[in-house]
mmCIF file of all heavy atoms in Angstrom:
data_model
loop_
_atom_site.group_PDB
_atom_site.id
_atom_site.type_symbol
_atom_site.label_atom_id
_atom_site.label_comp_id
_atom_site.label_asym_id
_atom_site.label_seq_id
_atom_site.Cartn_x
_atom_site.Cartn_y
_atom_site.Cartn_z
ATOM 1 N N MET B 19 34.546 7.575 -26.734
ATOM 2 C CA MET B 19 33.505 7.669 -25.761
ATOM 3 C C MET B 19 32.099 7.511 -26.530
ATOM 4 O O MET B 19 31.878 8.411 -27.456
ATOM 5 C CB MET B 19 33.578 9.037 -25.007
ATOM 6 C CG MET B 19 32.777 9.007 -23.715
ATOM 7 S SD MET B 19 33.280 10.389 -22.681
ATOM 8 C CE MET B 19 32.911 11.928 -23.637
ATOM 9 N N ALA B 27 20.149 12.292 -29.820
ATOM 10 C CA ALA B 27 19.008 13.164 -30.163
ATOM 11 C C ALA B 27 19.443 14.460 -30.760
ATOM 12 O O ALA B 27 18.852 14.799 -31.762
ATOM 13 C CB ALA B 27 18.225 13.431 -28.953
ATOM 14 N N ARG B 28 20.449 15.002 -30.281
ATOM 15 C CA ARG B 28 21.007 16.264 -30.861
ATOM 16 C C ARG B 28 21.465 16.072 -32.234
ATOM 17 O O ARG B 28 21.383 16.934 -33.087
ATOM 18 C CB ARG B 28 22.095 16.901 -29.889
ATOM 19 C CG ARG B 28 21.482 17.451 -28.766
ATOM 20 C CD ARG B 28 22.638 18.186 -27.980
ATOM 21 N NE ARG B 28 22.240 18.540 -26.524
ATOM 22 C CZ ARG B 28 22.923 18.396 -25.522
ATOM 23 N NH1 ARG B 28 24.202 17.921 -25.629
ATOM 24 N NH2 ARG B 28 22.426 18.743 -24.359
ATOM 25 N N SER B 89 13.028 -1.410 1.573
ATOM 26 C CA SER B 89 12.844 -1.723 2.938
ATOM 27 C C SER B 89 13.625 -0.723 3.815
ATOM 28 O O SER B 89 14.416 0.080 3.318
ATOM 29 C CB SER B 89 13.495 -3.054 3.204
ATOM 30 O OG SER B 89 14.828 -3.076 2.757
ATOM 31 N N LEU B 103 7.180 -4.484 -6.030
ATOM 32 C CA LEU B 103 7.495 -4.163 -7.492
ATOM 33 C C LEU B 103 6.425 -4.654 -8.360
ATOM 34 O O LEU B 103 5.857 -3.936 -9.257
ATOM 35 C CB LEU B 103 8.841 -4.857 -7.818
ATOM 36 C CG LEU B 103 9.194 -4.784 -9.241
ATOM 37 C CD1 LEU B 103 9.378 -3.357 -9.815
ATOM 38 C CD2 LEU B 103 10.417 -5.671 -9.577
ATOM 39 N N PRO B 121 20.465 -3.444 5.803
ATOM 40 C CA PRO B 121 21.757 -4.194 5.433
ATOM 41 C C PRO B 121 21.726 -5.015 4.198
ATOM 42 O O PRO B 121 22.700 -5.278 3.497
ATOM 43 C CB PRO B 121 21.989 -5.046 6.747
ATOM 44 C CG PRO B 121 20.758 -5.027 7.525
ATOM 45 C CD PRO B 121 20.038 -3.820 7.207
ATOM 46 N N LEU B 127 18.408 -4.514 -4.201
ATOM 47 C CA LEU B 127 18.597 -3.715 -5.391
ATOM 48 C C LEU B 127 18.797 -4.551 -6.637
ATOM 49 O O LEU B 127 18.289 -4.317 -7.692
ATOM 50 C CB LEU B 127 19.666 -2.620 -5.251
ATOM 51 C CG LEU B 127 20.052 -1.782 -6.422
ATOM 52 C CD1 LEU B 127 18.865 -0.935 -6.961
ATOM 53 C CD2 LEU B 127 21.157 -0.816 -6.136
ATOM 54 N N ALA B 162 33.933 11.911 1.353
ATOM 55 C CA ALA B 162 33.162 12.297 0.170
ATOM 56 C C ALA B 162 33.409 11.315 -0.822
ATOM 57 O O ALA B 162 32.409 11.000 -1.706
ATOM 58 C CB ALA B 162 33.722 13.711 -0.206
ATOM 59 N N GLU B 170 28.570 5.236 -8.436
ATOM 60 C CA GLU B 170 29.001 4.425 -9.487
ATOM 61 C C GLU B 170 28.447 2.999 -9.323
ATOM 62 O O GLU B 170 28.020 2.340 -10.241
ATOM 63 C CB GLU B 170 30.554 4.400 -9.397
ATOM 64 C CG GLU B 170 31.192 3.265 -10.309
ATOM 65 C CD GLU B 170 31.902 3.854 -11.539
ATOM 66 O OE1 GLU B 170 32.470 4.926 -11.420
ATOM 67 O OE2 GLU B 170 31.883 3.104 -12.594
ATOM 68 N N VAL B 186 21.909 21.182 -2.239
ATOM 69 C CA VAL B 186 21.875 21.654 -0.774
ATOM 70 C C VAL B 186 23.319 22.224 -0.512
ATOM 71 O O VAL B 186 24.246 21.561 -0.112
ATOM 72 C CB VAL B 186 21.762 20.286 0.125
ATOM 73 C CG1 VAL B 186 21.734 20.666 1.559
ATOM 74 C CG2 VAL B 186 20.392 19.651 -0.176
ATOM 75 N N ARG B 206 15.545 12.803 3.590
ATOM 76 C CA ARG B 206 16.649 12.020 4.198
ATOM 77 C C ARG B 206 17.992 12.377 3.760
ATOM 78 O O ARG B 206 18.824 12.699 4.492
ATOM 79 C CB ARG B 206 16.419 10.536 4.071
ATOM 80 C CG ARG B 206 15.441 9.954 5.070
ATOM 81 C CD ARG B 206 15.305 8.474 4.853
ATOM 82 N NE ARG B 206 14.292 8.233 3.734
ATOM 83 C CZ ARG B 206 13.907 7.052 3.416
ATOM 84 N NH1 ARG B 206 14.389 5.916 3.988
ATOM 85 N NH2 ARG B 206 12.999 6.825 2.415
ATOM 86 N N PRO B 223 29.601 17.752 -1.048
ATOM 87 C CA PRO B 223 30.528 17.166 -2.162
ATOM 88 C C PRO B 223 29.744 16.852 -3.448
ATOM 89 O O PRO B 223 30.288 16.837 -4.541
ATOM 90 C CB PRO B 223 31.021 15.862 -1.530
ATOM 91 C CG PRO B 223 30.179 15.661 -0.321
ATOM 92 C CD PRO B 223 29.583 16.931 0.107
ATOM 93 N N ARG B 227 31.632 18.487 -6.309
ATOM 94 C CA ARG B 227 32.299 17.579 -7.293
ATOM 95 C C ARG B 227 31.244 17.142 -8.359
ATOM 96 O O ARG B 227 31.139 15.981 -8.741
ATOM 97 C CB ARG B 227 32.766 16.334 -6.424
ATOM 98 C CG ARG B 227 33.867 16.825 -5.519
ATOM 99 C CD ARG B 227 34.553 15.666 -4.807
ATOM 100 N NE ARG B 227 35.248 14.694 -5.749
ATOM 101 C CZ ARG B 227 35.864 13.666 -5.351
ATOM 102 N NH1 ARG B 227 36.034 13.348 -4.094
ATOM 103 N NH2 ARG B 227 36.493 12.947 -6.214
ATOM 104 N N ASP B 246 15.379 17.503 -4.234
ATOM 105 C CA ASP B 246 15.081 18.747 -3.550
ATOM 106 C C ASP B 246 15.206 18.478 -2.057
ATOM 107 O O ASP B 246 14.264 18.236 -1.271
ATOM 108 C CB ASP B 246 13.665 19.307 -3.816
ATOM 109 C CG ASP B 246 12.594 18.197 -3.624
ATOM 110 O OD1 ASP B 246 12.857 17.035 -3.735
ATOM 111 O OD2 ASP B 246 11.361 18.620 -3.461
ATOM 112 N N PRO B 316 2.389 17.530 -4.467
ATOM 113 C CA PRO B 316 2.405 18.120 -3.196
ATOM 114 C C PRO B 316 1.230 17.724 -2.271
ATOM 115 O O PRO B 316 0.147 17.545 -2.658
ATOM 116 C CB PRO B 316 2.418 19.619 -3.473
ATOM 117 C CG PRO B 316 2.534 19.829 -4.974
ATOM 118 C CD PRO B 316 2.143 18.517 -5.565
ATOM 119 N N ILE B 328 -4.365 10.711 -0.469
ATOM 120 C CA ILE B 328 -5.382 11.658 -0.896
ATOM 121 C C ILE B 328 -4.957 13.058 -0.864
ATOM 122 O O ILE B 328 -5.174 13.891 -1.878
ATOM 123 C CB ILE B 328 -6.691 11.402 -0.100
ATOM 124 C CG1 ILE B 328 -7.070 9.996 -0.240
ATOM 125 C CG2 ILE B 328 -7.755 12.405 -0.394
ATOM 126 C CD1 ILE B 328 -8.360 9.546 0.722
ATOM 127 N N MET B 336 -3.258 18.854 -9.351
ATOM 128 C CA MET B 336 -3.173 20.265 -9.708
ATOM 129 C C MET B 336 -1.721 20.638 -10.235
ATOM 130 O O MET B 336 -1.612 21.267 -11.299
ATOM 131 C CB MET B 336 -3.342 21.200 -8.408
ATOM 132 C CG MET B 336 -4.839 21.063 -8.084
ATOM 133 S SD MET B 336 -5.193 22.120 -6.541
ATOM 134 C CE MET B 336 -4.800 23.725 -7.218
ATOM 135 N N PHE B 344 5.694 14.397 -13.641
ATOM 136 C CA PHE B 344 5.980 13.094 -13.220
ATOM 137 C C PHE B 344 5.638 13.215 -11.666
ATOM 138 O O PHE B 344 6.026 14.031 -10.981
ATOM 139 C CB PHE B 344 7.442 12.952 -13.269
ATOM 140 C CG PHE B 344 8.080 11.537 -13.008
ATOM 141 C CD1 PHE B 344 7.325 10.394 -13.041
ATOM 142 C CD2 PHE B 344 9.507 11.384 -12.871
ATOM 143 C CE1 PHE B 344 7.842 9.131 -12.846
ATOM 144 C CE2 PHE B 344 10.024 10.200 -12.641
ATOM 145 C CZ PHE B 344 9.195 9.027 -12.665
ATOM 146 N N CYS B 346 5.459 11.440 -8.037
ATOM 147 C CA CYS B 346 5.857 10.339 -7.189
ATOM 148 C C CYS B 346 4.671 9.993 -6.235
ATOM 149 O O CYS B 346 4.114 10.963 -5.611
ATOM 150 C CB CYS B 346 7.074 10.811 -6.284
ATOM 151 S SG CYS B 346 7.623 9.346 -5.340
ATOM 152 N N PRO B 383 -4.757 14.979 -26.397
ATOM 153 C CA PRO B 383 -5.619 14.263 -27.303
ATOM 154 C C PRO B 383 -5.760 12.787 -26.911
ATOM 155 O O PRO B 383 -4.840 12.162 -26.637
ATOM 156 C CB PRO B 383 -4.873 14.254 -28.713
ATOM 157 C CG PRO B 383 -3.908 15.441 -28.615
ATOM 158 C CD PRO B 383 -3.618 15.587 -27.194
ATOM 159 N N ALA B 395 -20.304 2.318 -20.978
ATOM 160 C CA ALA B 395 -20.609 1.115 -20.279
ATOM 161 C C ALA B 395 -21.569 1.361 -19.187
ATOM 162 O O ALA B 395 -22.353 0.439 -18.869
ATOM 163 C CB ALA B 395 -19.258 0.452 -19.751
ATOM 164 N N ASP B 427 -29.008 -5.625 -12.880
ATOM 165 C CA ASP B 427 -28.549 -4.493 -13.936
ATOM 166 C C ASP B 427 -27.976 -3.312 -13.104
ATOM 167 O O ASP B 427 -27.067 -2.732 -13.542
ATOM 168 C CB ASP B 427 -29.813 -4.051 -14.672
ATOM 169 C CG ASP B 427 -29.887 -4.628 -16.016
ATOM 170 O OD1 ASP B 427 -29.060 -5.562 -16.373
ATOM 171 O OD2 ASP B 427 -30.828 -4.289 -16.807
ATOM 172 N N CYS B 432 -28.969 2.985 -5.641
ATOM 173 C CA CYS B 432 -30.268 3.501 -5.972
ATOM 174 C C CYS B 432 -31.271 2.423 -6.131
ATOM 175 O O CYS B 432 -32.407 2.636 -6.096
ATOM 176 C CB CYS B 432 -30.126 4.245 -7.224
ATOM 177 S SG CYS B 432 -28.970 5.578 -7.231
#
Side-chain angles (χ1 to χ4, degrees):
Chain B
M19 197 163 66
R28 282 185 195 142
S89 60
L103 169 66
L127 176 58
E170 169 110 35
V186 180
R206 275 180 280 182
R227 299 185 63 178
D246 55 336
I328 298 176
M336 290 179 65
F344 193 16
C346 185
D427 262 4
C432 304

